[in-house]
Amino acid sequence: MRKEILTNVQVAALLKAVCETDFELLPYHVVCIFAGIRPKEVERLTWSNVNLDEHFIEVPDEKSKTAVRRIVEMEPLLVRWLDYYIKAGGNIQDGVTPTSNLRKRLRAVRKTAGLDRWPQDAPRRTFASCWLAVRSDVNKLNISMGHTSPEMLWRHYHRAVTQKHAKAFWKIEPPTKSKSKIVRLAA
């Protein structure tokens, strides 16, 4: 059974909605979408786990679903999104994810983005599918995602999306001063 992922249009719409309605949730979304870290793990991360100088995120064993520490390399696109958040005055003192009314806020952002249905683990699956489509290194992806078996990743994410789709995914850029809108891409 093929696992559901977000289309590029849905990702762009979600990030646009976050930027316009609940900016404090941007790091949560971009870390889930562009690093593939489990939502509950992202909720437990603090900014001290995010190394912006060396471009990696540490998921300590006590914050990991599997209780095994892992280092997740940040893709250049994720670095750009986090830089955008910081330069726009985002808070990087506490947790990566705000805790007050989180579920309600997530539902509101998704509704604003036009996402009436939210497939379970969609950002993580989207990341894995798009990463594997352009890099084909199932072993490296396996380590990054904290799985015990690369076979499961290969079975679910190999050829889940086309290379064209994946390349477009990795071009969903944050807004710039000259262009106030997130790059919108075809599905």
Side-chain angles (χ1 to χ4, degrees):
M1 182 174 101
R2 178 141 310 165
K3 305 294 184 183
E4 288 187 67
I5 64 168
L6 300 172
T7 67
N8 293 334
V9 170
Q10 289 173 320
V11 170
L14 179 64
L15 296 177
K16 180 180 186 290
V18 171
C19 288
E20 293 175 354
T21 65
D22 201 338
F23 193 66
E24 193 179 28
L25 288 174
L26 186 63
Y28 168 84
H29 283 91
V30 296
V31 170
C32 288
I33 294 168
F34 298 122
I37 298 176
R38 294 175 182 95
K40 285 292 183 191
E41 292 173 337
V42 177
E43 289 176 34
R44 296 179 195 122
L45 294 177
T46 61
W47 281 100
S48 64
N49 300 122
V50 180
N51 188 320
L52 293 166
D53 293 328
E54 296 184 49
H55 301 168
F56 71 83
I57 299 170
E58 175 197 17
V59 181
D61 53 0
E62 69 274 9
K63 297 178 183 183
S64 168
K65 176 185 175 184
T66 59
V68 175
R69 176 185 180 265
R70 71 184 189 279
I71 299 295
V72 178
E73 290 181 33
M74 284 194 265
E75 294 294 320
L77 181 58
L78 174 57
V79 173
R80 289 192 296 277
W81 273 100
L82 293 176
D83 283 346
Y84 166 74
Y85 174 77
I86 293 165
K87 288 176 182 170
N91 177 13
I92 59 167
Q93 300 303 312
D94 305 312
V96 170
T97 306
T99 56
S100 66
N101 298 316
L102 180 60
R103 298 289 157 241
K104 181 179 179 182
R105 292 166 72 183
L106 290 172
R107 281 191 300 273
V109 166
R110 292 169 186 159
K111 183 177 180 180
T112 300
L115 298 169
D116 299 323
R117 270 191 68 257
W118 187 254
Q120 183 179 359
D121 293 326
R124 183 171 164 82
R125 290 185 174 134
T126 302
F127 166 81
S129 297
C130 292
W131 195 95
L132 193 57
V134 296
R135 295 191 180 67
S136 300
D137 188 341
V138 72
N139 293 316
K140 187 172 182 178
L141 181 60
N142 187 64
I143 292 167
S144 176
M145 294 191 71
H147 284 275
T148 55
S149 165
E151 288 79 22
M152 188 280 302
L153 283 173
W154 192 256
R155 186 173 57 249
H156 289 291
Y157 303 115
H158 176 64
R159 298 186 185 192
V161 298
T162 64
Q163 275 197 343
K164 180 179 178 182
H165 174 97
K167 287 177 181 178
F169 171 81
W170 293 110
K171 293 179 181 176
I172 301 173
E173 295 285 343
T176 62
K177 288 182 182 180
S178 63
K179 105 186 136 171
S180 62
K181 296 187 179 194
I182 294 169
V183 173
R184 282 206 160 274
L185 301 165

